[in-house]
């Protein structure tokens, strides 16, 4: 599926957002060269801003790849902060360790090899920011596994809320509006996730139309 968010919007968001650095430039080059899907610099700038806005001290990522989103988060964390990266590919996780090691960060990074939903069970809360970017059909499961560990005033950010993989955003909308749609895989997974977070009385959710779409859920209590 093509991304319905115009490239011009993405380009403008990149110009308006915070500047990257030499390491992020290398990470962007790696993504372009290898065809590796990342949130991109426009969304990365928002991740850094979210962390700054909530005064984040602890971050958990469901799916970290080679550390692109984590690098943006680390730019906002205090020296005594903490971020947990999870990844099933050992080579990507080692690359994340290398990139974050080159950043001028004081925060502690934990690099967890394996299933993110299993990993969260070994960590206590609270987390100030959570990124959900694992398998789309498991987004709701990821949310349910971490929702009690999200601090009041914290945020849960879910990537690919509009596009990516085989996601059909029109079918997602129809499902959320109660229509009968024969949707499976990533489309159904995103719709199930959005339905769950929108119905949760402890969270308020909105959609940020940059990158491939980011759903942002704020814990109100």
């Amino acid at each position: 599926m093509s991304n319905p968010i115009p490239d011009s919007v993405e380009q403008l968001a990149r110009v308006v957002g915070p500047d990257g650095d030499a390491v992020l430039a290398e990470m962007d080059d790696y993504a372009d060269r290898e065809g590796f899907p990342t949130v991109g610099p426009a969304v990365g700038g928002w991740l850094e801003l979210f962390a700054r806005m909530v005064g984040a001290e602890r971050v958990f990522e469901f799916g970290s790849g080679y550390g692109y989103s984590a690098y943006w988060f680390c730019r906002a964390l205090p020296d005594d902060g903490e971020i947990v990266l999870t990844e099933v590919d050992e080579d990507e996780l080692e690359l994340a360790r290398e990139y974050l090691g080159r950043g001028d960060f004081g925060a502690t990074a934990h690099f967890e090899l394996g299933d993110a939903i299993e990993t969260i069970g070994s960590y206590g809360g609270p987390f100030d920011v959570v990124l959900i970017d694992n398998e789309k059909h498991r987004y709701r499961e990821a949310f349910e596994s971490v929702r009690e560990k999200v601090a009041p005033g914290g945020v849960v950010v879910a990537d690919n809320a509009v596009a990516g993989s085989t996601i059909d955003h029109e079918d997602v909308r129809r499902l959320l509006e109660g229509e009968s749609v024969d949707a499976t895989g990533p489309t159904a997974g995103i719709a199930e996730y959005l339905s769950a977070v929108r119905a949760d009385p402890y969270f308020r959710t909105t959609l940020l139309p940059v990158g491939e779409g980011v759903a942002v859920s704020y814990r109100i209590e």
Side-chain angles (χ1 to χ4, degrees), residues 42-85:
V43 173
W46 271 105
L47 299 183
E48 178 182 340
L49 186 60
F50 288 142
R52 293 189 186 279
M53 289 171 69
V54 304
E57 296 181 358
R58 301 185 74 212
V59 176
F60 188 94
E61 293 192 333
F62 287 85
S64 296
Y66 63 96
Y68 188 85
S69 55
Y71 194 99
W72 282 99
F73 279 131
C74 282
R75 285 162 44 113
L77 289 175
D79 287 345
D80 60 350
E82 178 184 15
I83 184 168
V84 183
L85 292 79

Side-chain angles (χ1 to χ4, degrees), residues 60 62 86 113-123 138 141 145:
F60 188 94
F62 287 85
T86 63
L113 179 64
D115 185 87
I117 296 175
E118 295 178 3
T119 300
I120 188 61
S122 62
Y123 281 87
R138 301 183 72 197
E141 184 183 0
S145 72

Side-chain angles (χ1 to χ4, degrees), residues 20-27 71 102:
D21 59 24
V23 178
L24 280 169
E26 288 186 31
M27 297 177 86
Y71 194 99
R102 293 170 54 197

Side-chain angles (χ1 to χ4, degrees), residues 5 12 24-25 49 54 71 86 100-104 122 124 126 158 166 172 181-182 191-192 206 209 216:
I5 299 173
L12 178 58
L24 280 169
L49 186 60
V54 304
Y71 194 99
T86 63
L100 264 64
R102 293 170 54 197
D104 185 21
S122 62
T166 57
V172 170
V181 177
D182 184 20
E192 289 171 3
T206 189
V216 182

Side-chain angles (χ1 to χ4, degrees), residues 64-147:
S64 296
Y66 63 96
Y68 188 85
S69 55
Y71 194 99
W72 282 99
F73 279 131
C74 282
R75 285 162 44 113
L77 289 175
D79 287 345
D80 60 350
E82 178 184 15
I83 184 168
V84 183
L85 292 79
T86 63
E87 178 54 45
V88 296
D89 186 305
E90 187 172 5
D91 291 338
E92 294 297 336
L93 195 63
E94 285 304 309
L95 194 55
R97 190 189 302 272
E98 176 186 331
Y99 280 128
L100 264 64
R102 293 170 54 197
D104 185 21
F105 308 130
T108 298
H110 302 280
F111 300 87
E112 298 282 1
L113 179 64
D115 185 87
I117 296 175
E118 295 178 3
T119 300
I120 188 61
S122 62
Y123 281 87
F127 287 100
D128 305 296
V129 182
V130 173
L131 174 68
I132 298 180
D133 197 12
N134 58 333
E135 305 97 324
K136 310 313 164 199
H137 67 280
R138 301 183 72 197
Y139 268 30
R140 180 173 183 172
E141 184 183 0
F143 173 68
E144 291 173 348
S145 72
V146 79
R147 66 176 300 280

